[in-house]
Amino acid sequence: MRRRDILAGAGSLAGLSLSIAKPGVAQTKRRLKMVTDWPADLPGLQSSADRLAQRITAATEGRIEVEVFGAGKFVRALETFDAVGAGVADMYHSAEYYWEKKSPAFSFFAAVPFGFTANELFAWVQYGGGQELWDALSNQYNVKPLLCCNTGTQMGGWCTREIASLQDLKGLRYRMPGLGGEVLRRLGAIVVNVPGGDIVASLKSGAIEGSEWIGPWPDLAMGLQNVAAYYYYPGFHEPGTGITLGINKRVWESFDPSLRRVIEDASAAEYTRSLAEFNAKNALWLQKLRGEGAVKVLKFDDSILKELYRVSRDVVAEASTADEHSKRIYASYQQFLPSIIDWSDIAEGSILGSRRLA
């Protein structure tokens, strides 16, 4: 991709440095550009990107100053990965499944249908070998990736008509990225992917009949309740969606070990904080939505979920055959998944089930 296709009139690479004085110490200040794929006023994702930038700036005592640009403000939506790889921007804040055409293996670090929850994903990446495999995948594109945010379990999405059976999926024009989109495609849906900022207009115009987004808090803030009357759960496609801080590899390698550790720790801290925020605010906004009574909040029928699960296993397995990185990442995922499911069922799963006995 040529730079003018990414950013008209972009100047020299971001991240220029200047010397500033501290008492007795020569310091270098780096100004870095972070680009996101979120609308500039979107709560949850864009606000998490802003908070992470502030955290890095504060933790490095200004040695790194991060400026954040929402979708379309510096590069076009969904071109953030290419912009960072090319050095036009220094960092991106986005979901890895947007890069699935480069390799389906990227989806394993964002969301896999019926796959890892937020806690399980972080466990695999941090302590199950996932980070090393992810580094090898992303290094091909001149990017260093870090998990930095998680939305938690997402909703299944919004529809302008009821989805009561598998037959209702056939011909349904639905916005869903990643491997989940391929699952719906195999069940007869017409799957498209549009940037988040275009979802409301697309539903309103009839260009699409349904769309997943995130959860009650950001969904209602974006106005999806005004253009669709049915809100489905669970989000089979995104049981715990990881968001990535992607850093230009040359920029990352220019940092000394202490700065790298600060960025790693800031990203891990924001992962935990963002997950807590999404869970707390989704709970409140779901109550608000139900209280208004204009939207039907419905669970997908079990017959639909069973078929989604069956097809999902095939789609995820086939994603592993695309390239050598995909094979290795899928093998690691498959090795880690049974044990973490067993523990999750015994630990949180049993508690969640017990709470409904009273």
Side-chain angles (χ1 to χ4, degrees):
M1 177 177 291
R2 294 174 298 179
R3 291 193 181 186
R4 65 172 177 270
D5 292 331
I6 301 173
L7 172 65
S12 58
L13 297 182
L16 297 178
S17 63
L18 57 90
S19 295
I20 60 175
K22 275 195 172 184
V25 181
Q27 295 287 334
T28 299
K29 186 173 184 177
R30 302 283 298 277
R31 291 194 175 98
L32 305 181
K33 290 182 170 63
M34 178 195 292
V35 292
T36 84
D37 283 313
W38 324 123
D41 57 351
L42 179 70
L45 291 178
Q46 185 65 25
S47 59
S48 180
D50 291 336
R51 191 165 55 212
L52 177 59
Q54 294 164 9
R55 187 187 295 272
I56 292 172
T57 299
T60 60
E61 297 183 330
R63 293 172 63 191
I64 299 174
E65 185 178 285
V66 182
E67 185 178 7
V68 183
F69 298 85
K73 299 297 184 181
F74 191 74
V75 301
R76 289 191 291 263
L78 305 185
E79 292 187 356
T80 54
F81 183 90
D82 289 326
V84 170
V88 172
D90 303 293
M91 301 173 167
Y92 67 78
H93 189 279
S94 191
E96 298 291 88
Y97 49 47
Y98 290 139
W99 333 133
E100 63 179 347
K101 289 184 178 180
K102 299 179 186 299
S103 172
F106 279 110
S107 290
F108 287 91
F109 303 99
V112 171
F114 296 98
F116 293 139
T117 64
N119 289 333
E120 292 167 347
L121 175 62
F122 205 54
W124 175 58
V125 169
Q126 291 287 322
Y127 298 106
Q131 184 67 61
E132 293 77 11
L133 292 165
W134 194 9
D135 286 340
L137 173 66
S138 296
N139 282 349
Q140 301 175 100
Y141 303 96
N142 203 31
V143 169
K144 164 64 181 178
L146 295 168
L147 283 174
C148 68
C149 174
N150 198 294
T151 67
T153 303
Q154 297 199 1
M155 292 288 283
W158 298 82
C159 284
T160 57
R161 58 183 173 88
E162 189 171 1
I163 308 299
S165 68
L166 286 168
Q167 187 62 33
D168 293 325
L169 292 176
K170 297 186 184 303
L172 179 72
R173 298 188 303 278
Y174 203 87
R175 183 263 185 198
M176 180 178 286
L179 299 176
E182 178 59 24
V183 173
L184 288 184
R185 186 177 291 109
R186 294 190 185 191
L187 291 175
I190 301 169
V191 179
V192 299
N193 190 17
V194 299
D198 296 339
I199 293 174
V200 170
S202 297
L203 282 167
K204 190 174 182 178
S205 70
I208 59 176
E209 300 168 284
S211 175
E212 65 83 44
W213 185 224
I214 303 172
W217 173 36
D219 289 13
L220 270 64
M222 202 157 70
L224 283 161
Q225 75 277 15
N226 299 321
V227 291
Y230 300 92
Y231 196 24
Y232 282 95
Y233 70 94
F236 78 95
H237 60 303
E238 300 191 37
T241 308
I243 303 300
T244 297
L245 175 68
I247 307 168
N248 176 273
K249 185 180 176 184
R250 186 174 66 82
V251 171
W252 175 255
E253 291 176 346
S254 73
F255 296 146
D256 62 47
S258 66
L259 284 180
R260 293 184 194 178
R261 175 56 63 89
V262 167
I263 294 171
E264 290 171 342
D265 290 349
S267 298
E270 182 57 30
Y271 187 93
T272 301
R273 183 170 179 175
S274 63
L275 178 60
E277 184 178 35
F278 270 106
N279 282 329
K281 294 191 175 181
N282 277 335
L284 293 174
W285 283 74
L286 178 60
Q287 286 184 326
K288 173 180 171 64
L289 180 66
R290 281 181 162 154
E292 292 174 350
V295 172
K296 293 183 179 180
V297 181
L298 302 171
K299 179 179 177 291
F300 284 123
D301 188 81
D302 285 348
S303 63
I304 296 176
L305 289 172
K306 287 179 181 178
E307 189 66 6
L308 288 170
Y309 183 54
R310 183 189 69 79
V311 176
S312 291
R313 286 181 296 181
D314 293 338
V315 168
V316 174
E318 288 175 24
S320 71
T321 65
D323 50 59
E324 287 302 315
H325 287 288
S326 297
K327 291 177 183 177
R328 288 193 289 270
I329 289 167
Y330 177 72
S332 175
Y333 165 87
Q334 283 292 93
Q335 183 178 19
F336 196 80
L337 186 62
S339 61
I340 200 68
I341 286 178
D342 186 31
W343 170 242
S344 294
D345 285 347
I346 287 176
E348 290 191 54
S350 60
I351 288 294
L352 293 174
S354 298
R355 292 195 312 204
R356 295 193 174 275
L357 297 177

